[in-house]
Structures are given as structure tokens and as C-alpha cells.
Amino acid sequence: TALGTPEQEPITILDLLLNGGYMMIPILLLWIVAVYIFFERLATIRKASTTPPSFKDEIRNKVIGGDISGARLFCQQTNTPIAYMIEKGLSRIGSPLKNIEVAIENIGKIEVYKLEKNLSLLATISGAAPMIGFLGTVTGMIQAFISIAQQEGAVSPKLLSGGIYEAMVTTAAGLFVGILTYLGYNFLVGRVQ
């Protein structure tokens, strides 16, 4: 530089994360679990929501033609929640309408339960990650105050920066994971509905 002071190298994201201290480990693990659950549930929900275009017409034609067993077989071969519900309704033909409705509703509840599997874990991660980040903030500040207490004489800003650095990085990382996981959770819940 013009004044002869040495230039500092820019700090990368990786440098920031590595300086966040040991509290970054559980935050990173929560992030990995959240990403895995999000994409696994997203794929499952997409698969469940895709019904072949000719499915309804095929079922309708078989039922109108009196081929109930053929319609049931076609439903069993189609791996979607809608097919399971229709197959259950077809298996109850001849029963009172109320019994058919209850059977279909029960299958629907079971299918929704399957789609919501692990979504509660996403909700837990969205709340736990910021809390772990705040715990990192507290431990970082404790380290900063211990450094101040052990220092005799004037306290240099560099001495304080280590603990405060860790405190801010863990808070930011915890909030990042928590916010994105919360958004992912709400997106998936909306898709299930």
C-alpha cells in the first residue's frame, strides 16, 4: 500500500468456519442431516404426487365395465397414495358407503403419515441449530473474558478478538442452518398438504 503497511489476505468462508470453534461440529452435523432429510422427503413427495395421466380413465373404464378385480389389480401395480386409497375403496364395494369412506380416509391418513416421516426432525433441527450457535456465542464470550482476566496491564484488541470471533461465527452458522431448515420444513409441509 501507499503508506507501507502490509496488506492482509482476505478471509474466506472456510477460514471463518474453522475459526468458529468446536461448536461448529454439531452445527455442521445438523446441516448435513437437514439437507439429507430435505432431499429424501422431497423425492418421496414428488414420487407420491405423480399419478400416471391415464390412471383415472383406466380405473373408471374398468369399474364401468364391471371389472372390479382388474381395477384393483391396476391400483396395486400403481405405486402412489391415490392408487392405495382407490384400491381400498374398491375392495369395500358392497359395504355401506360410510364404511367405504372411513376405509379410504384411514388409508389417506396412513399415506400422509408416511409422507410426513422425519419432518418433525427437520423442525427440531431448525430450532436446535440456532440454540447451539448461541451456546457457541456464550462459550466464545467466556473465553474472551477469561483472556481479559488473565491479562495483566492493558488489554489488546487482538486478545479479545479470538473469543468474540468464535462467538459471532457460531451464531451466524446456527442461524443460517436454522433459517434454511425452517424454510425447507415449511416447504415440505406445504407439499404434503
Side-chain angles (χ1 to χ4, degrees):
T1 63
L3 299 176
T5 57
E7 287 188 31
Q8 290 184 338
E9 291 184 28
I11 297 175
T12 66
I13 299 283
L14 183 60
D15 292 334
L16 280 174
L17 295 176
L18 291 176
N19 287 324
Y22 62 90
M23 294 307 285
M24 292 298 291
I25 295 169
I27 293 172
L28 177 64
L29 292 175
L30 289 175
W31 176 243
I32 291 168
V33 170
V35 168
Y36 172 78
I37 290 172
F38 177 79
F39 284 110
E40 184 271 334
R41 287 289 91 196
L42 184 62
T44 300
I45 292 168
R46 278 195 178 145
K47 182 181 174 193
S49 65
T50 52
T51 304
S54 63
F55 177 77
K56 291 179 186 176
D57 294 334
E58 186 76 25
I59 293 295
R60 184 179 299 117
N61 293 339
K62 286 184 184 294
V63 170
I64 290 172
D67 186 11
I68 301 299
S69 60
R72 287 186 62 195
L73 182 62
F74 186 68
C75 287
Q76 291 168 356
Q77 294 170 347
T78 306
N79 189 18
T80 64
I82 299 279
Y84 300 144
M85 293 168 59
I86 292 173
E87 194 276 328
K88 183 54 99 173
L90 292 172
S91 71
R92 302 287 178 156
I93 287 185
S95 299
L97 186 58
K98 186 66 177 167
N99 290 352
I100 295 172
E101 287 176 5
V102 169
I104 292 173
E105 285 176 11
N106 287 339
I107 292 293
K109 288 176 186 176
I110 290 169
E111 292 303 316
V112 167
Y113 175 76
K114 288 178 187 176
L115 293 175
E116 290 177 341
K117 178 183 164 193
N118 290 333
L119 287 186
S120 61
L121 185 55
L122 267 186
T124 301
I125 290 171
S126 74
M131 291 300 145
I132 293 171
F134 292 140
L135 180 60
T137 299
V138 171
T139 59
M141 295 307 287
I142 288 171
Q143 288 176 359
F145 285 120
I146 287 173
S147 297
I148 291 171
Q150 292 175 343
Q151 183 72 27
E152 293 182 14
V155 177
S156 72
K158 187 166 181 98
L159 180 69
L160 290 174
S161 67
I164 294 172
Y165 200 99
E166 178 182 327
M168 296 300 109
V169 169
T170 58
T171 300
L175 288 171
F176 175 81
V177 171
I179 289 168
L180 289 182
T181 303
Y182 182 71
L183 292 173
Y185 167 78
N186 283 322
F187 174 77
L188 291 175
V189 167
R191 292 294 305 259
V192 168
Q193 297 304 323

